[in-house]
Amino acid sequence: MKKYNFNPGPSVLPEITIKNTAEAILNLNGSGLSIMEISHRSKDFEAILKESKDLLKELLNIPSGYSVLFLQGGASLQFAMVASNFLNKKAAYLDSGSWASKAAKEAKLYGEVQVVASSKEQNYTFIPKNYTIPADADYFHITTNNTIYGTELKTDISSPVPLIADASSDILSRPMDVSKYALIYGGAQKNLGPAGVAFAIIRDSMLEKISRPMPTMLNYKTFVENDSLYNTPPCVAIYACLQTLKWLKDLGGLNAIYKMNTDKADMLYNEIDRNKLFMSPLTSSEDRSIMNVVFVFKPEYKALEEKFLEVAKSKGIVGIKGHRSVGGFRASIYNAMSDEGIKTLVQAMKEFESQA
Ligand SMILES: *Cc1c(COP(=O)(O)O)cnc(C)c1O
């Protein structure tokens, strides 16, 4: 049976990404060697790395004066790297979800952390607004998409201090004004490729602010100065990311995918709002994520949860069980999720309603 993969991450990837990567694992460009067994300093791999960076720059319209890095340790190591490199005295954090909170926790190891606002008391059902960014902070850290709670900051905010964003789960889902950010980072395994590689888009002038001695592998300078080749990068994961980037470009780039993403999200939110069994737990509809759609049964239907999961499973729908901290359901509808997948889920919801 055809499967519709709504997993939050690692998550659905374009078929072509998986097919091309499988081929390159067997035989890279007819070389008779696997992408797994060639040198990361070979001409072949250097070309793969360069094309990946160039395509990311092109798709996101990254201005000059920025570097694109591929790193390891996931977004979670970026939490510590950001603070190790840039928190000299005090940093400001927006607490919009548990990833944001984990990022702030790492920062506390390096200096003062000022949480400018938090929606934790309301179980992160909205993104805090109306806060003041302290002008004396070394940087302001935000999470653009709260993967677990299904809230998304869809505009590129202005900040009086360098703006740093964890965009793990909405990178490349919409056009972004990169010039507003000092650093954008994330794990690749939500919208770009497999687990094992993280990306960072860093304004080069930020490197001048690094003053703390730290391990070589934690220092952004190491990756900028060595073009992400200080040590062995995750070659296979980067190859897979390149296939997704090419797929995105062929599709028409970020304006095209953004239109498709909003259409897909609208289809699902419209059904959640219409269906008498379901509701959104969010308190502010403007914060609804176009990547992770969180929905729950209305209190009186809560007992039906397991049954709906079974019905969904019978239709090939995979990975919609909600995160344990929210309950209910979460449909992660990243770039590679098809219209057909959304329609299948909507149909399952309609049928379930008619039989309840
Ligand atoms: C998944 C996720 C992370 C954690 O990523 P790892 O690569 O597993 O460390 C961090 N932030 C956000 C927003 C995420 O969605």
Side-chain angles (χ1 to χ4, degrees):
M1 192 207 322
K2 183 160 171 49
K3 292 285 166 79
Y4 301 102
N5 181 4
F6 290 92
N7 277 319
S11 40
V12 63
L13 288 171
E15 253 175 65
I16 189 86
T17 295
I18 295 168
K19 184 171 165 290
N20 288 355
T21 306
E23 272 171 19
I25 283 176
L26 293 172
N27 184 353
L28 176 68
N29 303 333
S31 64
L33 296 173
S34 168
I35 175 79
M36 291 195 291
E37 54 179 7
I38 61 162
S39 168
H40 56 294
R41 305 204 185 275
S42 63
K43 286 257 165 320
D44 277 334
F45 187 72
E46 278 190 356
I48 290 163
L49 189 62
K50 181 168 187 314
E51 195 179 359
S52 307
K53 289 179 184 182
D54 288 348
L55 259 180
L56 195 61
K57 284 186 177 170
E58 183 185 333
L59 285 165
L60 269 169
N61 203 9
I62 300 176
S64 63
Y66 282 78
S67 296
V68 170
L69 312 177
F70 292 104
L71 310 134
Q72 296 186 66
S76 300
L77 187 61
Q78 293 298 295
F79 297 164
M81 251 173 99
V82 161
S84 175
N85 282 260
F86 304 123
L87 203 174
N88 292 316
K89 193 159 182 296
K90 178 172 100 173
Y93 279 72
L94 181 64
D95 183 26
S96 58
S98 41
W99 293 118
S101 161
K102 283 180 174 157
K105 174 171 173 256
E106 295 303 300
K108 284 177 194 150
L109 297 168
Y110 295 93
E112 188 191 336
V113 168
Q114 183 176 339
V115 175
V116 299
S118 173
S119 48
K120 184 171 193 223
E121 295 283 292
Q122 291 81 22
N123 203 30
Y124 297 121
T125 45
F126 62 95
I127 295 184
K129 294 162 193 89
N130 304 321
Y131 48 81
T132 308
I133 305 167
D136 61 343
D138 293 317
Y139 60 84
F140 178 45
H141 182 281
I142 57 171
T143 311
T144 51
N145 186 63
N146 300 284
T147 322
I148 294 173
Y149 305 92
T151 60
E152 185 176 15
L153 196 58
K154 293 175 205 123
T155 50
D156 303 305
I157 62 169
S158 298
S159 165
V161 299
L163 182 63
I164 296 185
D166 172 0
S168 292
S169 52
D170 66 347
I171 189 73
L172 297 169
S173 67
R174 61 171 169 94
M176 252 177 136
D177 181 357
V178 174
S179 71
K180 288 195 149 175
Y181 299 84
L183 171 62
I184 303 170
Y185 69 85
Q189 72 275 15
K190 310 282 163 61
N191 221 1
L192 188 53
V197 65
F199 64 87
I201 300 157
I202 186 168
R203 189 187 288 148
D204 294 328
S205 61
M206 286 297 285
L207 300 180
E208 292 155 22
K209 298 178 189 283
I210 303 172
S211 62
R212 175 183 286 114
M214 71 186 102
T216 310
M217 285 295 288
L218 288 188
N219 196 321
Y220 284 112
K221 269 186 202 160
T222 304
F223 295 88
V224 173
E225 286 168 4
N226 295 282
D227 214 9
S228 298
L229 281 173
Y230 173 74
N231 75 328
T232 319
C235 302
V236 176
I238 292 172
Y239 186 85
C241 291
L242 173 59
Q243 307 315 306
T244 306
L245 293 168
K246 286 183 178 173
W247 169 82
L248 254 179
K249 184 177 172 173
D250 288 346
L251 224 119
L254 297 191
N255 284 317
I257 198 81
Y258 181 53
K259 168 87 173 62
M260 292 163 72
N261 285 335
T262 47
D263 287 350
K264 285 187 297 179
D266 283 349
M267 242 197 282
L268 197 45
Y269 283 118
N270 286 341
E271 178 59 19
I272 293 165
D273 291 341
R274 187 210 60 78
N275 194 303
K276 71 172 197 283
L277 307 179
F278 299 97
M279 60 180 267
S280 162
L282 302 190
T283 53
S284 157
S285 60
E286 72 180 290
D287 294 340
R288 288 176 170 189
S289 169
I290 60 167
M291 293 280 99
N292 307 96
V293 178
V294 170
F295 56 106
V296 296
F297 273 121
K298 287 178 186 162
E300 60 269 37
Y301 299 112
K302 225 172 157 42
L304 298 173
E305 239 169 69
E306 283 306 316
K307 204 163 162 224
F308 181 65
L309 285 172
E310 269 170 40
V311 168
K313 194 174 164 203
S314 74
K315 295 180 178 297
I317 294 167
V318 175
I320 57 160
K321 195 173 165 57
H323 190 272
R324 60 189 181 281
S325 56
V326 182
F329 313 97
R330 168 177 50 174
S332 296
I333 55 170
Y334 298 115
N335 286 351
M337 171 52 65
S338 62
D339 261 11
E340 192 192 331
I342 309 276
K343 283 178 184 150
T344 305
L345 177 55
V346 165
Q347 187 57 29
M349 292 163 77
K350 283 189 199 297
E351 280 176 31
F352 202 76
E353 177 189 38
S354 70
Q355 287 154 21

Short mmCIF file of all heavy atoms in Angstrom, two decimals, residues 73-77 79 99 143 145-147 166-169 186-190 334, ligand 1:
data_model
loop_
_atom_site.label_atom_id
_atom_site.label_comp_id
_atom_site.label_asym_id
_atom_site.label_seq_id
_atom_site.Cartn_x
_atom_site.Cartn_y
_atom_site.Cartn_z
N GLY A 73 26.22 17.19 14.52
CA GLY A 73 25.73 17.42 15.89
C GLY A 73 24.30 17.93 15.92
O GLY A 73 23.75 18.19 16.99
N GLY A 74 23.68 18.06 14.76
CA GLY A 74 22.28 18.46 14.70
C GLY A 74 22.04 19.89 15.16
O GLY A 74 22.97 20.63 15.50
N ALA A 75 20.77 20.27 15.16
CA ALA A 75 20.41 21.60 15.65
C ALA A 75 20.78 21.72 17.12
O ALA A 75 21.13 22.79 17.62
CB ALA A 75 18.92 21.85 15.44
N SER A 76 20.73 20.60 17.82
CA SER A 76 20.99 20.63 19.27
C SER A 76 22.41 21.08 19.60
O SER A 76 22.62 21.75 20.61
CB SER A 76 20.72 19.25 19.88
OG SER A 76 19.37 18.89 19.67
N LEU A 77 23.38 20.71 18.76
CA LEU A 77 24.73 21.21 19.04
C LEU A 77 24.84 22.70 18.68
O LEU A 77 25.60 23.44 19.29
CB LEU A 77 25.79 20.40 18.29
CG LEU A 77 27.24 20.76 18.66
CD1 LEU A 77 27.51 20.51 20.14
CD2 LEU A 77 28.25 20.00 17.82
N PHE A 79 22.65 24.83 19.40
CA PHE A 79 22.21 25.57 20.60
C PHE A 79 23.45 26.00 21.41
O PHE A 79 23.54 27.14 21.87
CB PHE A 79 21.33 24.69 21.50
CG PHE A 79 20.03 24.23 20.89
CD1 PHE A 79 19.31 23.19 21.47
CD2 PHE A 79 19.51 24.82 19.75
CE1 PHE A 79 18.11 22.76 20.93
CE2 PHE A 79 18.32 24.40 19.20
CZ PHE A 79 17.61 23.35 19.79
N TRP A 99 11.99 23.40 21.96
CA TRP A 99 13.31 23.56 21.32
C TRP A 99 13.92 24.90 21.70
O TRP A 99 15.12 25.00 21.96
CB TRP A 99 13.22 23.41 19.80
CG TRP A 99 12.85 22.02 19.36
CD1 TRP A 99 11.74 21.65 18.66
CD2 TRP A 99 13.59 20.81 19.59
NE1 TRP A 99 11.74 20.30 18.45
CE2 TRP A 99 12.85 19.75 19.01
CE3 TRP A 99 14.79 20.51 20.25
CZ2 TRP A 99 13.28 18.42 19.05
CZ3 TRP A 99 15.21 19.18 20.30
CH2 TRP A 99 14.47 18.16 19.70
N THR A 143 12.95 30.75 17.45
CA THR A 143 12.68 29.50 16.74
C THR A 143 11.60 29.83 15.73
O THR A 143 10.49 30.22 16.14
CB THR A 143 12.19 28.41 17.71
OG1 THR A 143 13.06 28.38 18.84
CG2 THR A 143 12.13 27.05 17.06
N ASN A 145 9.90 27.99 13.59
CA ASN A 145 8.77 27.06 13.55
C ASN A 145 8.88 26.09 14.73
O ASN A 145 9.89 25.42 14.86
CB ASN A 145 8.75 26.29 12.23
CG ASN A 145 7.53 25.41 12.08
OD1 ASN A 145 6.40 25.90 12.03
ND2 ASN A 145 7.72 24.10 12.04
N ASN A 146 7.84 26.08 15.55
CA ASN A 146 7.84 25.23 16.73
C ASN A 146 7.22 23.88 16.37
O ASN A 146 6.00 23.72 16.43
CB ASN A 146 7.13 25.93 17.88
CG ASN A 146 7.83 27.24 18.22
OD1 ASN A 146 8.88 27.23 18.84
ND2 ASN A 146 7.28 28.35 17.75
N THR A 147 8.10 22.98 15.99
CA THR A 147 7.76 21.69 15.41
C THR A 147 6.76 20.89 16.25
O THR A 147 5.90 20.20 15.72
CB THR A 147 9.06 20.88 15.26
OG1 THR A 147 10.10 21.77 14.87
CG2 THR A 147 8.93 19.78 14.24
N ASP A 166 16.67 29.42 14.83
CA ASP A 166 16.60 27.98 14.60
C ASP A 166 15.45 27.78 13.61
O ASP A 166 14.29 27.97 13.95
CB ASP A 166 16.32 27.26 15.93
CG ASP A 166 16.05 25.77 15.75
OD1 ASP A 166 16.08 25.28 14.61
OD2 ASP A 166 15.81 25.09 16.77
N ALA A 167 15.81 27.43 12.37
CA ALA A 167 14.79 27.24 11.33
C ALA A 167 14.78 25.78 10.88
O ALA A 167 14.53 25.48 9.71
CB ALA A 167 15.05 28.18 10.15
N SER A 168 15.04 24.88 11.82
CA SER A 168 15.13 23.45 11.50
C SER A 168 13.94 22.95 10.70
O SER A 168 14.09 22.18 9.76
CB SER A 168 15.20 22.61 12.78
OG SER A 168 16.40 22.82 13.47
N SER A 169 12.74 23.37 11.12
CA SER A 169 11.56 22.71 10.54
C SER A 169 10.78 23.58 9.57
O SER A 169 9.73 23.17 9.10
CB SER A 169 10.65 22.20 11.66
OG SER A 169 10.37 23.22 12.58
N GLY A 186 19.89 24.94 11.45
CA GLY A 186 18.91 23.88 11.69
C GLY A 186 19.47 22.52 11.35
O GLY A 186 20.51 22.40 10.69
N GLY A 187 18.78 21.50 11.80
CA GLY A 187 19.09 20.15 11.37
C GLY A 187 18.47 19.96 9.99
O GLY A 187 17.45 20.57 9.68
N ALA A 188 19.06 19.11 9.16
CA ALA A 188 18.55 18.92 7.80
C ALA A 188 17.34 18.00 7.74
O ALA A 188 16.60 18.02 6.76
CB ALA A 188 19.66 18.35 6.91
N GLN A 189 17.11 17.24 8.80
CA GLN A 189 16.22 16.08 8.67
C GLN A 189 14.73 16.38 8.72
O GLN A 189 13.92 15.47 8.84
CB GLN A 189 16.58 15.04 9.73
CG GLN A 189 16.22 15.39 11.16
CD GLN A 189 17.27 16.25 11.86
OE1 GLN A 189 18.13 16.81 11.22
NE2 GLN A 189 17.19 16.36 13.17
N LYS A 190 14.34 17.66 8.60
CA LYS A 190 12.92 17.98 8.54
C LYS A 190 12.52 18.30 7.09
O LYS A 190 11.55 17.78 6.60
CB LYS A 190 12.56 19.16 9.44
CG LYS A 190 13.09 19.05 10.88
CD LYS A 190 12.26 18.13 11.77
CE LYS A 190 12.97 17.71 13.04
NZ LYS A 190 13.35 18.77 13.94
N TYR A 334 5.73 18.70 5.47
CA TYR A 334 6.90 19.39 4.91
C TYR A 334 6.79 19.49 3.38
O TYR A 334 5.87 18.90 2.78
CB TYR A 334 8.16 18.64 5.32
CG TYR A 334 8.36 18.63 6.83
CD1 TYR A 334 8.30 17.45 7.56
CD2 TYR A 334 8.56 19.82 7.53
CE1 TYR A 334 8.46 17.44 8.94
CE2 TYR A 334 8.72 19.83 8.91
CZ TYR A 334 8.68 18.63 9.61
OH TYR A 334 8.83 18.63 10.97
C1 LIG B 1 14.03 18.74 15.37
C2 LIG B 1 14.36 20.09 15.89
C3 LIG B 1 15.53 20.33 16.66
C4 LIG B 1 16.48 19.24 17.04
O1 LIG B 1 17.22 18.86 15.96
P1 LIG B 1 18.43 17.80 16.10
O2 LIG B 1 19.06 17.89 14.75
O3 LIG B 1 17.80 16.48 16.39
O4 LIG B 1 19.31 18.24 17.19
C5 LIG B 1 15.77 21.63 17.05
N1 LIG B 1 14.93 22.64 16.75
C6 LIG B 1 13.81 22.43 16.03
C7 LIG B 1 12.92 23.60 15.72
C8 LIG B 1 13.48 21.16 15.58
O5 LIG B 1 12.37 20.96 14.86
#
